Coordinates of all heavy atoms in Angstrom, one line a residue:
M390 N 17.5 19.3 -6.8 CA 17.4 19.2 -5.4 C 17.2 17.8 -4.9 O 16.5 17.0 -5.5 CB 16.1 20.0 -5.0 CG 15.8 20.0 -3.6 SD 14.4 21.1 -3.1 CE 15.0 22.7 -3.5
R391 N 18.0 17.4 -3.9 CA 18.0 16.0 -3.4 C 17.1 15.9 -2.2 O 17.0 16.9 -1.4 CB 19.4 15.6 -3.1 CG 20.3 15.5 -4.3 CD 21.7 15.3 -3.9 NE 21.7 14.0 -3.2 CZ 22.3 12.9 -3.7 NH1 22.9 12.9 -4.9 NH2 22.3 11.7 -3.0
E392 N 16.5 14.8 -2.0 CA 15.7 14.5 -0.9 C 16.6 13.9 0.2 O 17.6 13.1 -0.1 CB 14.6 13.5 -1.2 CG 13.5 14.1 -2.0 CD 12.4 13.1 -2.2 OE1 12.4 11.9 -1.9 OE2 11.4 13.6 -2.7
K393 N 16.3 14.1 1.4 CA 17.0 13.6 2.5 C 16.5 12.1 2.8 O 15.4 11.7 2.4 CB 16.8 14.3 3.8 CG 17.2 15.8 3.7 CD 18.1 16.1 4.8 CE 18.5 17.5 4.7 NZ 19.9 17.7 4.9
A394 N 17.4 11.2 3.3 CA 17.0 9.8 3.5 C 15.8 9.7 4.4 O 14.9 8.8 4.2 CB 18.2 9.1 4.1
Y395 N 15.6 10.5 5.4 CA 14.4 10.3 6.2 C 13.1 10.6 5.5 O 12.1 10.0 5.9 CB 14.5 11.2 7.6 CG 14.3 12.7 7.4 CD1 13.0 13.2 7.4 CD2 15.4 13.5 7.2 CE1 12.9 14.6 7.2 CE2 15.3 14.8 7.1 CZ 14.0 15.4 7.1 OH 13.8 16.8 6.9
R396 N 13.1 11.5 4.5 CA 11.9 11.7 3.7 C 11.6 10.4 3.0 O 10.4 10.0 2.8 CB 12.2 12.9 2.7 CG 10.9 13.1 1.9 CD 11.2 14.3 1.0 NE 10.3 14.4 -0.1 CZ 9.1 15.0 0.0 NH1 8.7 15.5 1.1 NH2 8.3 15.0 -1.0
S397 N 12.6 9.8 2.4 CA 12.3 8.5 1.7 C 11.8 7.5 2.6 O 11.0 6.7 2.3 CB 13.7 8.0 1.0 OG 14.1 8.9 0.1
L398 N 12.4 7.4 3.8 CA 11.8 6.5 4.8 C 10.4 6.8 5.2 O 9.6 5.8 5.2 CB 12.7 6.5 6.1 CG 12.3 5.6 7.2 CD1 12.4 4.1 6.8 CD2 13.2 5.8 8.4
L399 N 10.0 8.0 5.4 CA 8.6 8.3 5.7 C 7.7 8.0 4.5 O 6.6 7.4 4.8 CB 8.5 9.8 6.0 CG 9.1 10.2 7.4 CD1 9.0 11.8 7.5 CD2 8.4 9.6 8.5
K400 N 8.1 8.2 3.3 CA 7.3 7.9 2.2 C 7.2 6.4 2.0 O 6.1 5.8 1.7 CB 7.9 8.5 1.0 CG 7.8 9.9 0.8 CD 8.6 10.6 -0.3 CE 8.3 10.2 -1.7 NZ 9.0 10.9 -2.7
S401 N 8.3 5.6 2.4 CA 8.2 4.2 2.4 C 7.1 3.6 3.3 O 6.4 2.7 3.0 CB 9.6 3.6 2.7 OG 10.6 4.0 1.8
V402 N 7.2 4.2 4.6 CA 6.2 3.7 5.6 C 4.8 4.0 5.2 O 3.9 3.1 5.3 CB 6.6 4.3 7.0 CG1 5.5 4.0 8.0 CG2 7.9 3.8 7.4
S403 N 4.5 5.2 4.8 CA 3.1 5.5 4.4 C 2.7 4.7 3.2 O 1.5 4.3 3.2 CB 3.0 7.1 4.2 OG 3.7 7.4 3.0
W404 N 3.5 4.6 2.2 CA 3.1 3.8 1.0 C 2.9 2.3 1.4 O 1.9 1.7 0.9 CB 4.2 3.9 -0.1 CG 3.8 3.0 -1.3 CD1 4.5 2.0 -1.7 CD2 2.7 3.2 -2.1 NE1 3.9 1.4 -2.8 CE2 2.8 2.2 -3.1 CE3 1.6 4.1 -2.2 CZ2 1.8 2.1 -4.1 CZ3 0.7 4.0 -3.2 CH2 0.9 3.0 -4.2
R405 N 3.7 1.8 2.3 CA 3.6 0.4 2.6 C 2.3 0.1 3.4 O 1.7 -0.9 3.4 CB 4.8 -0.2 3.4 CG 5.9 -0.6 2.5 CD 5.6 -1.5 1.3 NE 4.5 -2.4 1.3 CZ 3.7 -2.6 0.2 NH1 3.9 -1.9 -0.9 NH2 2.7 -3.4 0.2
A406 N 2.0 1.1 4.3 CA 0.7 0.9 5.1 C -0.5 0.7 4.2 O -1.3 -0.2 4.3 CB 0.5 2.1 6.0
L407 N -0.5 1.6 3.1 CA -1.6 1.5 2.2 C -1.5 0.2 1.4 O -2.5 -0.5 1.2 CB -1.6 2.7 1.2 CG -2.7 2.7 0.2 CD1 -4.0 2.8 0.8 CD2 -2.5 4.0 -0.7
G408 N -0.3 -0.1 0.9 CA -0.1 -1.3 0.2 C -0.4 -2.6 0.9 O -0.9 -3.6 0.4
T409 N 0.0 -2.7 2.2 CA -0.3 -3.8 3.0 C -1.7 -4.1 3.2 O -2.2 -5.2 3.2 CB 0.5 -3.7 4.4 OG1 1.9 -3.6 4.1 CG2 0.2 -4.9 5.2
I410 N -2.5 -3.0 3.5 CA -4.0 -3.2 3.6 C -4.5 -3.7 2.4 O -5.4 -4.6 2.3 CB -4.6 -1.8 3.9 CG1 -4.2 -1.3 5.3 CG2 -6.1 -1.8 3.8 CD1 -4.5 0.1 5.7
D411 N -4.1 -3.3 1.2 CA -4.5 -3.8 -0.1 C -4.2 -5.3 -0.2 O -5.0 -6.1 -0.6 CB -3.8 -2.9 -1.2 CG -4.2 -3.5 -2.6 OD1 -5.5 -3.5 -2.8 OD2 -3.4 -3.9 -3.4
T412 N -2.9 -5.7 0.1 CA -2.5 -7.1 0.0 C -3.4 -7.9 0.9 O -3.7 -9.0 0.6 CB -1.0 -7.2 0.4 OG1 -0.2 -6.4 -0.6 CG2 -0.6 -8.6 0.4
I413 N -3.6 -7.5 2.2 CA -4.4 -8.3 3.1 C -5.8 -8.5 2.6 O -6.4 -9.6 2.6 CB -4.4 -7.6 4.5 CG1 -3.0 -7.7 5.1 CG2 -5.4 -8.3 5.4 CD1 -2.9 -6.9 6.4
L414 N -6.3 -7.4 2.1 CA -7.7 -7.5 1.5 C -7.8 -8.4 0.3 O -8.7 -9.3 0.2 CB -8.2 -6.1 1.1 CG -9.6 -6.0 0.5 CD1 -10.7 -6.5 1.5 CD2 -9.9 -4.6 0.0
I415 N -6.9 -8.3 -0.6 CA -6.9 -9.2 -1.8 C -6.6 -10.7 -1.3 O -7.3 -11.6 -1.8 CB -5.8 -8.8 -2.8 CG1 -6.2 -7.5 -3.4 CG2 -5.6 -9.8 -3.8 CD1 -5.1 -6.8 -4.3
S416 N -5.7 -10.9 -0.4 CA -5.4 -12.2 0.1 C -6.7 -12.8 0.7 O -7.0 -14.0 0.6 CB -4.3 -12.2 1.1 OG -3.1 -11.8 0.5
W417 N -7.4 -12.0 1.5 CA -8.6 -12.5 2.2 C -9.7 -12.8 1.2 O -10.4 -13.8 1.3 CB -9.1 -11.5 3.2 CG -10.3 -11.8 3.9 CD1 -10.5 -12.9 4.7 CD2 -11.5 -11.2 3.7 NE1 -11.8 -12.9 5.1 CE2 -12.5 -11.8 4.6 CE3 -12.0 -10.1 3.0 CZ2 -13.9 -11.5 4.7 CZ3 -13.3 -9.7 3.2 CH2 -14.2 -10.4 4.0
L418 N -9.8 -11.9 0.1 CA -10.9 -12.2 -0.9 C -10.6 -13.5 -1.6 O -11.5 -14.2 -2.0 CB -11.0 -11.0 -1.8 CG -11.5 -9.8 -1.2 CD1 -11.4 -8.6 -2.2 CD2 -13.0 -10.0 -0.9
I419 N -9.3 -13.8 -1.9 CA -8.9 -15.0 -2.6 C -9.0 -16.2 -1.7 O -9.6 -17.3 -2.2 CB -7.5 -14.9 -3.2 CG1 -7.6 -13.8 -4.3 CG2 -7.1 -16.2 -3.8 CD1 -6.2 -13.4 -4.9
T420 N -8.5 -16.2 -0.5 CA -8.4 -17.4 0.4 C -9.6 -17.5 1.2 O -9.8 -18.7 1.8 CB -7.1 -17.4 1.2 OG1 -7.2 -16.3 2.1 CG2 -5.9 -17.2 0.3
H421 N -10.3 -16.5 1.6 CA -11.4 -16.5 2.6 C -10.9 -16.9 4.0 O -11.6 -17.4 4.8 CB -12.5 -17.4 2.2 CG -13.2 -17.0 0.9 ND1 -13.9 -15.9 0.7 CD2 -13.1 -17.5 -0.4 CE1 -14.3 -15.8 -0.5 NE2 -13.8 -16.8 -1.2
K422 N -9.5 -16.7 4.2 CA -8.9 -17.0 5.5 C -8.2 -15.8 6.0 O -7.2 -15.4 5.5 CB -8.0 -18.2 5.4 CG -8.7 -19.5 4.9 CD -7.6 -20.6 4.7 CE -8.4 -21.8 4.3 NZ -7.5 -23.0 4.0
I423 N -8.8 -15.2 7.1 CA -8.2 -13.9 7.5 C -6.8 -14.1 8.1 O -5.9 -13.2 7.9 CB -9.2 -13.2 8.5 CG1 -8.7 -11.7 8.8 CG2 -9.4 -14.0 9.8 CD1 -8.7 -10.8 7.6
M424 N -6.6 -15.1 8.8 CA -5.2 -15.4 9.4 C -4.2 -15.5 8.4 O -3.1 -15.1 8.5 CB -5.2 -16.5 10.4 CG -6.1 -16.3 11.6 SD -5.7 -14.7 12.5 CE -4.1 -15.0 13.1
F425 N -4.5 -16.2 7.3 CA -3.6 -16.4 6.2 C -3.3 -15.0 5.5 O -2.2 -14.7 5.2 CB -4.2 -17.5 5.2 CG -3.2 -17.9 4.2 CD1 -2.0 -18.5 4.5 CD2 -3.4 -17.7 2.8 CE1 -1.1 -19.0 3.6 CE2 -2.6 -18.1 1.8 CZ -1.4 -18.7 2.2
A426 N -4.3 -14.3 5.3 CA -4.2 -13.0 4.7 C -3.4 -12.1 5.5 O -2.5 -11.3 5.0 CB -5.6 -12.3 4.4
L427 N -3.5 -12.1 6.9 CA -2.7 -11.3 7.8 C -1.3 -11.7 7.8 O -0.4 -10.8 7.9 CB -3.4 -11.3 9.2 CG -4.7 -10.6 9.4 CD1 -5.3 -10.9 10.8 CD2 -4.5 -9.1 9.2
S428 N -1.1 -13.0 7.7 CA 0.3 -13.4 7.7 C 1.0 -13.0 6.4 O 2.2 -12.6 6.4 CB 0.4 -15.0 7.9 OG -0.1 -15.6 6.8
I429 N 0.4 -13.2 5.3 CA 0.9 -12.6 4.0 C 1.2 -11.1 4.2 O 2.3 -10.6 3.8 CB 0.0 -12.9 2.9 CG1 -0.1 -14.3 2.6 CG2 0.4 -12.2 1.6 CD1 -1.2 -14.7 1.6
G430 N 0.3 -10.4 4.7 CA 0.5 -8.9 4.8 C 1.6 -8.6 5.8 O 2.4 -7.7 5.6
G431 N 1.7 -9.4 6.9 CA 2.8 -9.2 7.8 C 4.2 -9.4 7.3 O 5.1 -8.7 7.7
V432 N 4.4 -10.3 6.4 CA 5.7 -10.6 5.8 C 6.0 -9.5 4.8 O 7.0 -9.0 4.7 CB 5.7 -12.0 5.2 CG1 6.9 -12.2 4.4 CG2 5.6 -13.0 6.3
E433 N 5.1 -9.3 3.8 CA 5.4 -8.3 2.7 C 5.6 -6.9 3.2 O 6.1 -6.2 2.5 CB 4.3 -8.5 1.7 CG 2.9 -8.0 2.0 CD 2.7 -6.5 1.7 OE1 3.2 -5.9 0.6 OE2 2.1 -5.8 2.5
V434 N 5.0 -6.5 4.3 CA 5.2 -5.2 4.7 C 6.6 -4.8 4.9 O 7.0 -3.7 4.5 CB 4.3 -4.8 6.0 CG1 4.9 -5.5 7.2 CG2 4.3 -3.3 6.2
F435 N 7.4 -5.7 5.5 CA 8.8 -5.4 5.7 C 9.7 -5.5 4.5 O 10.5 -4.7 4.1 CB 9.4 -6.3 6.8 CG 8.7 -6.0 8.1 CD1 7.8 -6.9 8.7 CD2 9.0 -4.9 8.8 CE1 7.2 -6.7 9.9 CE2 8.4 -4.6 10.0 CZ 7.5 -5.5 10.5
T436 N 9.4 -6.6 3.7 CA 10.2 -6.8 2.4 C 10.0 -5.6 1.4 O 10.9 -5.1 0.9 CB 10.0 -8.1 1.8 OG1 8.6 -8.2 1.5 CG2 10.3 -9.2 2.7
K437 N 8.7 -5.3 1.3 CA 8.4 -4.2 0.3 C 8.8 -2.8 0.7 O 9.1 -2.0 -0.1 CB 7.0 -4.3 -0.2 CG 6.7 -5.5 -1.0 CD 5.3 -5.6 -1.6 CE 5.1 -6.8 -2.4 NZ 3.7 -6.9 -2.9
M438 N 8.7 -2.6 2.0 CA 9.2 -1.3 2.5 C 10.7 -1.1 2.3 O 11.2 -0.1 1.9 CB 8.9 -1.1 4.1 CG 9.0 0.2 4.6 SD 8.4 0.6 6.2 CE 8.2 -1.0 7.0
F439 N 11.5 -2.1 2.5 CA 12.9 -2.1 2.3 C 13.2 -1.9 0.8 O 14.1 -1.1 0.4 CB 13.5 -3.4 2.8 CG 15.0 -3.5 2.6 CD1 15.9 -2.7 3.3 CD2 15.5 -4.4 1.6 CE1 17.3 -2.8 3.0 CE2 16.9 -4.5 1.4 CZ 17.7 -3.7 2.1
L440 N 12.5 -2.7 0.0 CA 12.8 -2.6 -1.4 C 12.4 -1.1 -2.0 O 13.1 -0.5 -2.8 CB 11.9 -3.6 -2.2 CG 12.5 -5.1 -2.1 CD1 11.5 -6.0 -2.7 CD2 13.9 -5.2 -2.7
Y441 N 11.3 -0.6 -1.5 CA 10.8 0.8 -1.9 C 11.9 1.8 -1.5 O 12.2 2.7 -2.2 CB 9.5 1.1 -1.3 CG 9.0 2.5 -1.8 CD1 8.4 2.7 -2.9 CD2 9.2 3.6 -0.9 CE1 8.0 4.0 -3.3 CE2 8.8 4.8 -1.3 CZ 8.2 5.0 -2.5 OH 7.9 6.3 -2.8
F442 N 12.4 1.7 -0.3 CA 13.4 2.6 0.2 C 14.6 2.6 -0.7 O 15.1 3.6 -1.1 CB 13.8 2.2 1.7 CG 14.9 3.2 2.2 CD1 14.5 4.4 2.7 CD2 16.2 2.8 2.3 CE1 15.5 5.2 3.2 CE2 17.2 3.6 2.7 CZ 16.8 4.9 3.2
L443 N 15.1 1.4 -1.0 CA 16.3 1.3 -1.9 C 15.9 1.9 -3.3 O 16.7 2.6 -3.9 CB 16.7 -0.1 -2.1 CG 17.3 -0.8 -0.8 CD1 17.6 -2.3 -1.2 CD2 18.5 -0.1 -0.4
H444 N 14.7 1.6 -3.8 CA 14.3 2.1 -5.1 C 14.2 3.7 -5.1 O 14.6 4.3 -6.0 CB 12.9 1.5 -5.4 CG 12.3 2.0 -6.7 ND1 11.4 3.0 -6.7 CD2 12.5 1.6 -8.0 CE1 11.0 3.2 -8.0 NE2 11.7 2.4 -8.8
E445 N 13.7 4.3 -4.0 CA 13.6 5.7 -3.9 C 14.9 6.3 -3.8 O 15.2 7.3 -4.4 CB 12.8 6.0 -2.6 CG 12.5 7.4 -2.3 CD 11.5 8.1 -3.2 OE1 10.7 7.3 -3.9 OE2 11.4 9.2 -3.3
R446 N 15.8 5.8 -3.1 CA 17.2 6.3 -2.9 C 17.9 6.2 -4.3 O 18.7 7.1 -4.6 CB 18.0 5.6 -1.8 CG 17.4 5.8 -0.4 CD 17.1 7.2 -0.1 NE 18.3 8.0 0.0 CZ 18.3 9.4 0.0 NH1 17.2 10.0 0.0 NH2 19.5 10.0 0.0
A447 N 17.7 5.2 -5.0 CA 18.3 5.0 -6.3 C 17.8 6.1 -7.3 O 18.6 6.8 -8.0 CB 18.1 3.6 -6.9
W448 N 16.5 6.3 -7.3 CA 15.9 7.4 -8.1 C 16.3 8.7 -7.8 O 16.4 9.6 -8.5 CB 14.4 7.2 -8.2 CG 13.9 6.4 -9.3 CD1 13.5 5.1 -9.2 CD2 13.9 6.8 -10.6 NE1 13.2 4.6 -10.5 CE2 13.3 5.7 -11.4 CE3 14.1 8.0 -11.3 CZ2 13.2 5.7 -12.7 CZ3 13.9 8.0 -12.7 CH2 13.4 6.9 -13.4
N449 N 16.7 8.9 -6.4 CA 17.1 10.2 -6.0 C 18.5 10.6 -6.7 O 18.8 11.7 -6.8 CB 17.3 10.3 -4.5 CG 17.4 11.6 -3.9 OD1 16.7 12.6 -4.4 ND2 18.1 11.8 -2.9
R450 N 19.2 9.6 -7.1 CA 20.5 9.9 -7.8 C 20.4 10.1 -9.2 O 21.2 10.6 -9.9 CB 21.4 8.7 -7.6 CG 21.9 8.4 -6.2 CD 22.7 7.2 -6.0 NE 23.1 7.0 -4.7 CZ 24.2 7.4 -4.1 NH1 25.1 8.0 -4.8 NH2 24.5 7.1 -2.9
V451 N 19.2 9.9 -9.8 CA 18.9 10.0 -11.2 C 18.5 11.5 -11.5 O 17.6 12.0 -10.8 CB 17.9 9.1 -11.8 CG1 17.5 9.4 -13.2 CG2 18.4 7.6 -11.6
G452 N 19.0 12.1 -12.4 CA 18.7 13.6 -12.6 C 17.5 13.8 -13.6 O 17.1 15.0 -13.8
I453 N 16.9 12.7 -14.2 CA 15.8 12.9 -15.1 C 14.6 13.5 -14.4 O 14.2 13.1 -13.3 CB 15.4 11.5 -15.7 CG1 16.5 10.9 -16.5 CG2 14.1 11.7 -16.5 CD1 16.3 9.5 -16.8
G454 N 14.2 14.7 -14.9 CA 13.0 15.4 -14.4 C 13.2 16.2 -13.1 O 12.3 16.7 -12.5
K455 N 14.5 16.5 -12.8 CA 14.8 17.3 -11.6 C 15.4 18.6 -12.2 O 16.0 18.7 -13.2 CB 15.9 16.7 -10.8 CG 15.5 15.5 -9.9 CD 16.6 15.1 -9.0 CE 16.1 14.2 -8.0 NZ 17.2 13.8 -7.1
H456 N 15.2 19.6 -11.4 CA 15.8 20.9 -11.6 C 16.1 21.6 -10.3 O 15.6 21.4 -9.3 CB 14.9 21.8 -12.5 CG 13.6 22.2 -11.9 ND1 13.5 23.3 -11.1 CD2 12.4 21.5 -11.8 CE1 12.2 23.3 -10.6 NE2 11.5 22.3 -11.1
S457 N 17.1 22.4 -10.4 CA 17.5 23.1 -9.2 C 16.7 24.5 -9.2 O 16.7 25.3 -10.2 CB 19.1 23.5 -9.3 OG 19.4 24.2 -8.2
E458 N 16.1 24.7 -8.1 CA 15.3 26.0 -8.0 C 16.3 27.1 -7.7 O 17.1 27.1 -6.8 CB 14.3 25.8 -6.8 CG 13.2 24.8 -7.1 CD 12.2 24.8 -6.1 OE1 12.0 25.9 -5.5 OE2 11.5 23.8 -6.0
K459 N 16.1 28.2 -8.5 CA 16.9 29.4 -8.3 C 16.1 30.5 -7.7 O 14.9 30.6 -8.0 CB 17.5 29.8 -9.6 CG 18.5 28.8 -10.2 CD 19.1 29.3 -11.5 CE 20.0 28.3 -12.1 NZ 20.6 28.7 -13.4
P460 N 16.6 31.2 -6.9 CA 15.8 32.4 -6.3 C 15.4 33.3 -7.4 O 16.1 33.5 -8.4 CB 16.7 33.0 -5.3 CG 18.1 32.6 -5.6 CD 17.9 31.3 -6.3
E461 N 14.4 34.1 -7.3 CA 13.9 35.0 -8.2 C 14.9 36.2 -8.4 O 15.0 36.8 -9.4 CB 12.5 35.6 -7.9 CG 11.4 34.6 -8.0 CD 10.1 35.2 -7.7 OE1 9.9 36.4 -7.8 OE2 9.2 34.4 -7.2
Y462 N 15.6 36.5 -7.3 CA 16.6 37.6 -7.4 C 17.8 37.2 -6.5 O 17.7 36.3 -5.6 CB 16.0 38.9 -6.9 CG 15.5 38.8 -5.5 CD1 16.3 39.2 -4.4 CD2 14.2 38.5 -5.2 CE1 15.9 39.1 -3.1 CE2 13.8 38.4 -3.9 CZ 14.6 38.7 -2.9 OH 14.2 38.7 -1.6
E463 N 18.8 37.8 -6.7 CA 20.1 37.6 -5.9 C 20.5 38.9 -5.5 O 20.5 39.9 -6.1 CB 21.1 36.9 -6.8 CG 20.8 35.5 -7.1 CD 21.9 34.7 -7.8 OE1 23.1 35.0 -7.5 OE2 21.6 33.9 -8.6
I464 N 21.1 38.9 -4.3 CA 21.7 40.1 -3.7 C 23.2 40.1 -3.8 O 23.9 39.2 -3.7 CB 21.3 40.3 -2.2 CG1 19.8 40.3 -2.0 CG2 22.0 41.5 -1.6 CD1 19.4 40.4 -0.6

């Protein structure tokens, strides 16, 4: 079963929101400068979302661990 592209996009956005919060928090803890941390998070949110989308679409083409669901009965 293949996923549609919009599902990959939604997963990309939700994952990046969580990842960006993490990046901002780590950047702030290391630098103690909130504006620097926000600028790092602001850049990486777009680059990593794009990379994740491409990664997700590539994995959608790989058959490892996938199976086609068959109905319990056929008419």
Side-chain angles (χ1 to χ4, degrees):
M390 180 176 291
R391 295 177 58 112
E392 291 184 349
K393 302 232 181 227
Y395 72 87
R396 178 177 165 85
S397 296
L398 181 61
L399 291 174
K400 288 168 67 175
S401 300
V402 171
S403 68
W404 177 246
R405 274 321 325 143
L407 182 62
T409 298
I410 291 168
D411 180 58
T412 298
I413 291 170
L414 179 61
I415 291 169
S416 299
W417 177 65
L418 290 172
I419 291 171
T420 65
H421 301 287
K422 297 178 181 179
I423 191 64
M424 292 309 293
F425 190 61
L427 289 170
S428 65
I429 291 171
V432 170
E433 69 88 42
V434 69
F435 296 106
T436 59
K437 289 188 179 173
M438 191 168 22
F439 177 70
L440 291 172
Y441 180 83
F442 178 81
L443 293 178
H444 179 262
E445 183 72 18
R446 297 310 296 163
W448 266 101
N449 196 36
R450 295 176 180 265
V451 176
I453 299 170
K455 284 185 169 183
H456 64 89
S457 180
E458 293 186 28
K459 295 181 180 177
E461 291 183 26
Y462 61 91
E463 292 185 30
I464 298 177

